Amino acid sequence: MSVCPPLGMESHRVEADQLLTSSMSHHRYGPQRARLNIQASGDEDDLNGGAWCGNPLEKDHWIELDARTLTEFTGVITQGRDDPLENDYVTSYYVAFSNDSREWTVLHDGYTDWLFFGNSDKHTPAMAQFVEPVVARYIRILPQSWNGTMCMRMEVMGCPVPGDTYQSQNEVMPRDYLDYTHHSYLQMETLMKSISDECPNITRLYSLGQSSKGLQIYAMEYSSKPGVHEKGEPEFRYTAGYHGNEALGRELLLILMQYLCKEHKDGNPRVRRLVEGTRIHLVPSVNPDGHVKASERGSELGSWTLGHWTEEGHDIFQNFPDLNNIFWDAEDKGMVPKLTPNHHVPIPEGYLLAVETRALISWMESHPFVLGANLQGGERMVTYPFDMRRLTKEGYGEAEPEEEIRMVEDQSLFRWLAISYASTHRTMTNTYRGGCHTEDPTGRMGIVNRAKWKPIPGSMNDFSYLHTNAFELSIFLGCDKFPHQSELLREWEHNREALLTLIEQVHRGIKGIVRDKEGNPILNATVSVEGVNHDVTTGEAGDYWRLLNPGEYHVTAHADGYSSSTRLCVVGFEAGATLCNFELTKSNWNRIKEIMALHGNKPIRLLNPGGRSRYVSHGNSGRYIVSNQIPVNNGKLANRSRFRRLRLMRLRRLRQQRLLAAKMTTTVLPPTTTMLSTTAAVPTTVSPTESTTAWYDYWMFTDLPEENTTQLETEITDSLDSNYTYGFDDY
């Protein structure tokens, strides 16, 4: 008994005008909604119902498919209606064939018409195979009995007749040297080991960890020096298989592994340039347990959700810590970036994470990834963060709560990255037929902000942006999550150029190394771009990468214990990142912090020459703060007696300064004298007729006993009389 591949109801290769029905119960349930695994929308007023449903007033029901050419039909797959409340599905049906759509022959066994059994629930697909293939152009399904309302979804299995002059879309194209088959877990393991053995100089097979059932989460690395991070070389990642039933991404990465190995051996200049200039990581199956479950039913008979979750019931892609609310709360309070960083937001305690998620987070934190994408299924588009919406106002009465869509700081860059994949994919921007389940949500662009489409909390994309340096996209490869094996070659041809193009985008923007004056790399230095409230940090080698669109940018590098440095970096339209190195000078702020720590980190008041006071204190976040407000100790303002003491000390010090200034007016000075202003990190030129009182003479130590004031002033004076340069903006 031969079984042909699907004609393409689920994948949308069968177009809407190839379908015809006897009737429909409502405009939401027309023939275009009869596709296998199609999902209903939640809006009862749109056209996106969960199945084709016949008019209940009609006696006879049928749905017809025009294959547009002579076809060997070998079977039919049926499924019930997708609906959260109703339980509608067809339990039996006849099948008829025609070559002209007028005269029909019902399939029979030689004695009577063949009655096929349908579904026993609304979600699980059921296949009916014909004993012998039937050659025809048209096929009809005639439901005879059903549960609830007469509603159904379906797929038709068929092969084009050999020798037909009409080129069918379903014709299997010739194979080449790559393996276009579905792989079980053991077959995937064997294939990846064979690729590593074939190209040992550029590959490394390793594991991120184990799944909840003990299966390895394998990864393949491609680099000129596998296993080593080379200074200045960016790292890129593709991951797939977060949902076990989304098998297309898994197989595309396995094909990409073969392609990179073989093309590098054959001297393909583009592949050689990618492998030797980029450290590429490919993870084909993040959820191997789910794939094992989904593959047991096969590509056509698995339901929409079979194998979607891990063995413990987690959706891995949405299982990451929610850092969005933490970051947005701080942003709303004006704490970003002075008190709360705009990058590498720490993970709070108490999150229940899957073992697979913990393995991914550990992997993400241990590699300096710059760019990545996760391959998913069920739609055809690219989505970019933020993936989550923010609840901004509670609803009153029956009103719905209002939600706000927060735009990511690098939105224009994310849109470019997304369009670089969608535009080089062969069919992703051809959305005139609509989306897989509803109208096209991308506006015929092939890209969309996830929060505007289907917002979700705790996504890998948002987590990656807020917790690491890496920018992450989601690529939805097609309507059919688990396509037939015969579709893999076609899908590879559709995605090959896009997969390579996105890897090349990791070399976009600026890159460089942050060093000190002695040439030593500075770890965890922060690199900021003026006008973009999202920073990146340097790695162990002091190297960094910052993805940017073409333009001129003022970029600042700063690190703890060093004075910051700013330079103009120009990103052009040509290929390759612009080199922007930084050399930082040590500041004396660390010494001041040490001195203050010896005296309990008590606040110090700075009296500017203009007479206005500024305060230096040790903040709750561990940073030293310069402000124009009186510091708060233990959440309470100082008492009145302390203010009285401060005023008396200030008057005494002002009297001393006037006496000293009077003496200094007769002092012979060089033509100009430079001193450091307490209000900015720039030198101030003083004329010979002005007072030359050292700037540190304006310091007042208000929280120390008077006998300790002179001692601390002497220590700080000794520290500041060194050759270091110091400014208040360096803290």
Side-chain angles (χ1 to χ4, degrees):
M1 182 182 296
S2 62
V3 178
C4 289
L7 290 182
M9 286 286 289
E10 183 176 9
S11 65
H12 285 238
R13 283 190 295 107
V14 173
E15 299 180 8
D17 60 2
Q18 294 178 249
L19 301 172
L20 187 66
T21 58
S22 56
S23 64
M24 59 182 177
S25 64
H26 189 267
H27 63 275
R28 280 174 53 84
Y29 304 108
Q32 76 279 2
R33 307 302 298 175
R35 302 181 185 279
L36 189 71
N37 283 320
I38 200 165
Q39 302 296 294
S41 72
D43 186 357
E44 290 292 331
D45 296 326
D46 64 19
L47 300 175
N48 307 311
W52 160 62
C53 299
N55 188 341
L57 301 179
E58 298 289 335
K59 181 179 179 181
D60 298 324
H61 303 282
W62 51 262
I63 180 169
E64 174 185 322
L65 185 149
D66 177 9
R68 291 180 173 169
T69 185
L70 288 180
T71 302
E72 287 187 354
F73 295 103
T74 61
V76 171
I77 301 174
T78 60
Q79 190 179 30
R81 171 185 171 188
D82 177 53
D83 190 278
L85 301 177
E86 305 299 332
N87 194 31
D88 304 326
Y89 53 90
V90 171
T91 56
S92 65
Y93 56 91
Y94 291 123
V95 180
F97 302 92
S98 174
N99 286 325
D100 57 11
S101 189
R102 291 189 296 272
E103 296 182 3
W104 293 88
T105 301
V106 177
L107 189 64
H108 59 89
D109 58 4
Y111 299 97
T112 184
D113 294 339
W114 204 320
L115 184 67
F116 292 91
F117 293 106
N119 301 94
S120 57
D121 64 67
K122 63 182 179 182
H123 293 303
T124 307
M127 176 185 284
Q129 293 180 258
F130 309 148
V131 176
E132 295 291 339
V134 179
V135 178
R137 173 174 172 173
Y138 301 90
I139 182 173
R140 270 187 183 180
I141 298 177
L142 301 91
Q144 298 300 300
S145 61
W146 48 84
N147 185 80
T149 306
M150 202 300 296
C151 297
M152 69 179 301
R153 295 174 284 175
M154 70 171 193
E155 181 64 88
V156 177
M157 319 297 287
C159 302
V161 174
D164 192 351
T165 57
Y166 186 87
Q167 178 66 35
S168 170
Q169 288 185 338
N170 201 46
E171 182 176 355
V172 178
M173 294 177 286
R175 296 165 60 92
D176 58 13
Y177 59 87
L178 303 178
D179 180 9
Y180 302 101
T181 59
H182 282 295
H183 296 82
S184 66
Y185 174 79
L186 292 178
Q187 291 169 339
M188 178 190 73
E189 184 180 51
T190 301
L191 176 63
M192 294 179 72
K193 289 180 178 179
S194 67
I195 295 172
S196 182
D197 292 339
E198 183 178 355
C199 297
N201 295 329
I202 62 169
T203 63
R204 178 176 70 100
L205 178 62
Y206 67 100
S207 174
L208 276 62
Q210 292 184 339
S211 68
S212 56
K213 295 187 72 174
L215 300 181
Q216 297 293 332
I217 304 175
Y218 284 114
M220 182 73 80
E221 174 193 338
Y222 286 83
S223 174
S224 57
K225 294 182 179 179
V228 178
H229 171 72
E230 299 180 65
K231 183 184 296 186
E233 183 177 72
E235 302 206 15
F236 179 93
R237 65 177 180 240
Y238 273 130
T239 53
Y242 289 81
H243 311 127
N245 58 341
E246 295 172 357
L248 179 55
R250 166 193 175 104
E251 299 304 333
L252 286 180
L253 290 190
L254 291 177
I255 297 172
L256 180 60
M257 292 178 194
Q258 303 172 60
Y259 178 83
L260 293 176
C261 173
K262 295 181 184 295
E263 291 296 314
H264 188 274
K265 288 177 61 178
D266 292 342
N268 184 320
R270 184 185 190 186
V271 172
R272 281 186 174 271
R273 185 171 61 252
L274 280 177
V275 171
E276 294 169 8
T278 316
R279 194 181 184 196
I280 304 170
H281 303 258
L282 307 178
V283 183
S285 189
V286 172
N287 181 11
D289 299 343
H291 182 267
V292 170
K293 184 181 295 184
S295 60
E296 291 174 352
R297 291 283 296 174
S299 61
E300 280 72 53
L301 299 181
S303 68
W304 185 254
T305 58
L306 181 65
H308 182 92
W309 296 278
T310 67
E311 190 67 21
E312 297 175 340
H314 296 285
D315 183 329
I316 299 177
F317 184 72
Q318 303 180 44
N319 187 234
F320 288 81
D322 173 18
L323 303 182
N324 297 59
N325 281 313
I326 297 173
F327 177 73
W328 291 339
D329 285 341
E331 199 172 44
D332 291 343
K333 296 175 183 177
M335 300 167 62
V336 178
K338 288 296 184 181
L339 299 180
T340 300
N342 59 21
H343 61 100
H344 290 81
V345 178
I347 301 174
E349 298 180 357
Y351 274 97
L352 178 62
L353 302 178
V355 293
E356 295 88 350
T357 309
R358 291 198 297 269
L360 281 170
I361 292 176
S362 176
W363 178 60
M364 294 163 67
E365 292 176 337
S366 61
H367 292 77
F369 289 115
V370 180
L371 178 61
N374 48 85
L375 308 184
Q376 301 187 44
E379 279 289 355
R380 185 180 287 112
M381 66 177 77
V382 181
T383 67
Y384 57 90
F386 286 122
D387 292 2
M388 181 180 173
R389 284 186 186 176
R390 168 91 171 198
L391 187 66
T392 58
K393 185 178 180 181
E394 296 292 340
Y396 295 96
E398 297 182 357
E400 293 290 331
E402 296 180 8
E403 289 182 318
E404 176 186 2
I405 296 179
R406 295 284 185 109
M407 294 294 106
V408 72
E409 280 290 327
D410 292 276
Q411 183 181 6
S412 61
L413 175 62
F414 270 112
R415 287 180 60 84
W416 168 261
L417 296 173
I419 203 66
S420 68
Y421 192 98
S423 62
T424 50
H425 187 282
R426 286 191 175 181
T427 63
M428 192 168 284
T429 54
N430 299 336
T431 57
Y432 57 90
R433 300 173 185 171
C436 293
H437 307 280
T438 62
E439 290 76 17
D440 174 33
T442 72
R444 298 194 175 186
M445 291 287 291
I447 68 170
V448 68
N449 173 235
R450 179 63 187 259
K452 292 182 179 179
W453 172 51
K454 290 184 178 180
I456 55 173
S459 75
M460 179 183 181
N461 296 352
D462 290 359
F463 176 83
S464 180
Y465 185 70
L466 293 175
H467 187 67
T468 73
N469 285 339
F471 290 23
E472 183 85 8
L473 301 171
S474 290
I475 301 172
F476 292 83
L477 298 167
C479 304
D480 193 348
K481 293 181 177 182
F482 202 143
H484 189 270
Q485 185 167 287
S486 62
E487 300 290 326
L488 295 180
L489 174 55
R490 178 183 289 105
E491 293 294 344
W492 166 248
E493 293 298 328
H494 287 174
N495 287 275
R496 178 182 60 188
E497 178 63 26
L499 288 167
L500 298 177
T501 298
L502 186 59
I503 298 176
E504 292 171 334
Q505 302 310 304
V506 78
H507 297 280
R508 185 182 187 86
I510 60 174
K511 66 178 182 180
I513 300 174
V514 181
R515 303 184 178 92
D516 61 16
K517 287 291 187 180
E518 288 74 35
N520 301 313
I522 301 177
L523 172 65
N524 289 329
T526 302
V527 178
S528 307
V529 178
E530 183 179 349
V532 183
N533 191 22
H534 183 79
D535 305 338
V536 297
T537 58
T538 58
E540 294 182 358
D543 48 358
Y544 77 93
W545 303 263
R546 184 53 165 97
L547 298 178
L548 293 168
N549 283 326
E552 295 184 354
Y553 300 92
H554 288 93
V555 184
T556 301
H558 47 95
D560 190 27
Y562 295 85
S563 299
S564 61
S565 174
T566 301
R567 58 174 298 184
L568 179 67
C569 302
V570 180
V571 179
F573 290 90
E574 63 276 2
T578 300
L579 186 64
C580 283
N581 293 326
F582 291 89
E583 187 177 85
L584 303 186
T585 303
K586 287 186 177 181
S587 72
N588 55 351
W589 188 242
N590 278 347
R591 177 56 183 158
I592 295 176
K593 289 192 292 185
E594 292 174 2
I595 296 172
M596 294 183 71
L598 292 175
H599 296 274
N601 288 322
K602 296 189 176 182
I604 299 175
R605 187 175 68 180
L606 299 144
L607 184 62
N608 294 336
R612 187 176 182 182
S613 298
R614 304 183 77 194
Y615 298 86
V616 181
S617 60
H618 187 271
N620 294 330
S621 63
R623 302 180 64 180
Y624 285 77
I625 302 169
V626 178
S627 70
N628 294 323
Q629 299 179 358
I630 297 176
V632 177
N633 292 329
N634 299 324
K636 297 181 180 179
L637 291 174
N639 53 35
R640 293 187 178 184
S641 61
R642 181 168 174 244
F643 286 134
R644 190 180 303 110
R645 184 168 61 91
L646 293 177
R647 187 163 57 250
L648 293 174
M649 292 179 65
R650 179 184 176 188
L651 292 173
R652 185 170 63 250
R653 178 53 62 97
L654 287 174
R655 189 179 300 110
Q656 294 174 356
Q657 291 170 357
R658 292 193 188 99
L659 293 175
L660 182 60
K663 296 178 181 179
M664 295 298 293
T665 54
T666 59
T667 304
V668 179
L669 297 175
T672 59
T673 303
T674 299
M675 73 176 183
L676 189 64
S677 169
T678 61
T679 59
V682 295
T684 302
T685 302
V686 183
S687 67
T689 60
E690 295 179 352
S691 171
T692 57
T693 304
W695 70 273
Y696 46 79
D697 280 344
Y698 291 105
W699 285 58
M700 288 195 64
F701 308 97
T702 60
D703 283 331
L704 296 177
E706 187 169 352
E707 60 270 15
N708 293 338
T709 302
T710 304
Q711 175 188 353
L712 182 55
E713 183 180 12
T714 302
E715 293 178 8
I716 294 183
T717 301
D718 293 340
S719 172
L720 296 176
D721 281 340
S722 63
N723 293 325
Y724 294 129
T725 59
Y726 169 77
F728 288 107
D729 294 333
D730 291 338
Y731 70 94

